[in-house]
Amino acid sequence: MSDEIENKLDAIEMNLLKSITDIEKTPMGAYNIRENGKGVARKTTASIDIVTKEDKPGIDIIIKPNTKNESVHIPVILTQGGFNDVVYNDFYIGENADVVIVAGCGIHNSSCETSEHDGIHTFHLAKGSKVKYIEKHYGEGNGTGDRILNPQTIVYLEDGSNLEMETVQIKGVTSTIRETKGELGPNSNLVITERIMTAGSQTAKTIFNVDLNGENSSVHVASRSIARDQSTQEFISNVNGNTKCFGHVECDAIIMDKAKVISTPQIVANNIDASLIHEAAIGKIAGEQIIKLMSLGLTEAEAEEQIINGFLK
């Protein structure tokens, strides 16, 4: 990270930034950093432009055709209690571009008031383009105020485009509703990998709505989650196959303590050549797995954590 950004952020803010962007692992290209509702740092490149919206809070990220091996970071950090931040970000990916986009939000709330961030991201992938999108959510702070994150992602994939989404809720988020909508054109591909952990009385709800409109389009959704203590999770997916296409939805959850998990996968074939699959599995950690790891010298708690960490990879 550049000295310019470090000079603008204090230690708490820098730690939040590192938690949601892995900035020590991913090379920085273009970036826009938002703190408590305001932009604090921005960098563009010859191939990637970032423009502030005039009609509502947010930015347009414009990636030129044939851009390769470049990255965009657009993290949001909140450190003010009682702050509600809403942002609209639109991504325009040019033909045959191939880029990595890293987003996410970190909240540090040490107050008794609620802090909330609602990010609405819309992706427009032109013909033959490819994007890997990484989004991480993280909450911390010793206050009693809630830390709420409600991300919404809207995806439009043109002919032969490919979007790989990796979404992670690390820890500390009181409540989240995560919604993804997709409209897929011919020969396009959408891959979504979700990892969530809830604890205490936290709640997490995930909703996927995908329309496979183009011939030979495909989607694969894989959700893995851990629900601990008294937390509640809900997974809802709706995949509509409207032509010759392929769709696969899987939801695997480990339930612990007095937690609750609800899974509702739905697939609708509106065409004879639509091939759709859904799978859902919810269960506790198998006792034999813990015993095997304890036989190698781990305590029961250590064995449990090893299993959880492996499950969420």
Side-chain angles (χ1 to χ4, degrees):
M1 181 63 69
S2 69
D3 292 338
E4 174 194 3
I5 295 174
E6 291 193 18
N7 291 336
K8 291 181 178 179
L9 303 178
D10 63 21
I12 289 176
E13 292 157 348
M14 282 301 301
N15 285 333
L16 284 176
L17 198 59
K18 291 177 181 179
S19 295
I20 60 175
T21 61
D22 290 333
I23 57 175
E24 296 175 347
K25 299 179 182 179
T26 306
M28 292 295 289
Y31 57 77
N32 186 87
I33 299 175
R34 183 179 176 90
E35 176 197 9
N36 296 322
K38 297 180 181 179
V40 296
R42 178 178 296 178
K43 176 186 174 183
T44 61
T45 71
S47 300
I48 302 174
D49 199 9
I50 301 175
V51 181
T52 302
K53 289 184 180 295
E54 296 183 358
D55 58 337
K56 53 189 174 183
I59 53 178
D60 291 332
I61 300 93
I62 303 162
I63 299 175
K64 293 181 179 180
N66 301 307
T67 300
K68 308 286 184 183
N69 302 316
E70 291 202 42
S71 63
V72 187
H73 288 66
I74 55 162
V76 172
I77 49 179
L78 269 65
T79 58
Q80 291 183 8
F83 192 84
N84 189 341
D85 186 32
V86 180
V87 64
Y88 299 83
N89 296 332
D90 287 80
F91 303 83
Y92 299 92
I93 317 299
E95 287 191 11
N96 300 312
D98 187 347
V99 296
V100 175
I101 299 172
V102 181
C105 178
I107 296 179
H108 180 95
N109 188 1
S110 294
S111 77
C112 60
E113 299 180 279
T114 295
S115 294
E116 179 175 348
H117 174 72
D118 299 335
I120 298 91
H121 291 180
T122 303
F123 288 83
H124 307 264
L125 271 66
K127 183 177 180 180
S129 61
K130 183 177 181 181
V131 172
K132 182 172 183 180
Y133 175 61
I134 301 168
E135 182 181 81
K136 295 186 177 182
H137 290 157
Y138 173 75
E140 65 177 23
N142 54 14
T144 58
D146 289 343
R147 298 174 291 272
I148 298 175
L149 291 164
N150 294 323
Q152 184 177 16
T153 306
I154 304 164
V155 176
Y156 300 100
L157 302 185
E158 294 186 14
D159 190 0
S161 60
N162 187 312
L163 175 60
E164 179 185 351
M165 292 177 54
E166 179 184 326
T167 64
V168 179
Q169 181 174 301
I170 305 171
K171 68 175 183 178
V173 178
T174 309
S175 171
T176 182
I177 300 175
R178 311 160 64 90
E179 186 172 5
T180 301
K181 300 178 181 178
E183 294 185 13
L184 277 60
N187 305 301
S188 63
N189 182 41
L190 175 62
V191 177
I192 302 171
T193 304
E194 172 187 74
R195 289 175 286 164
I196 294 178
M197 181 183 291
T198 54
S201 58
Q202 296 169 358
T203 63
K205 184 175 183 178
T206 298
I207 305 168
F208 293 105
N209 290 293
V210 179
D211 288 315
L212 297 162
N213 296 328
E215 189 167 312
N216 296 317
S217 58
S218 63
V219 62
H220 180 87
V221 177
S223 174
R224 284 197 166 193
S225 66
I226 306 281
R228 312 178 80 157
D229 303 323
Q230 296 82 39
S231 64
T232 301
Q233 296 181 9
E234 185 173 5
F235 174 88
I236 301 171
S237 65
N238 299 288
V239 174
N240 299 304
N242 300 320
T243 185
K244 180 184 177 183
C245 60
F246 177 77
H248 184 199
V249 179
E250 57 178 303
C251 170
D252 294 321
I254 289 178
I255 187 169
M256 304 173 66
D257 310 310
K258 296 182 180 180
K260 180 179 180 180
V261 178
I262 306 165
S263 180
T264 312
Q266 176 175 279
I267 52 177
V268 179
N270 295 313
N271 186 283
I272 194 172
D273 291 318
S275 178
L276 307 174
I277 302 169
H278 74 70
E279 303 174 79
I282 303 170
K284 64 180 181 179
I285 297 175
E288 59 266 24
Q289 290 179 293
I290 293 179
I291 292 172
K292 182 177 180 180
L293 289 174
M294 290 178 66
S295 70
L296 300 175
L298 275 65
T299 66
E300 183 175 355
E302 289 171 339
E304 190 175 84
E305 287 303 311
Q306 283 281 87
I307 293 167
I308 289 171
N309 291 336
F311 181 77
L312 291 177
K313 282 186 178 180

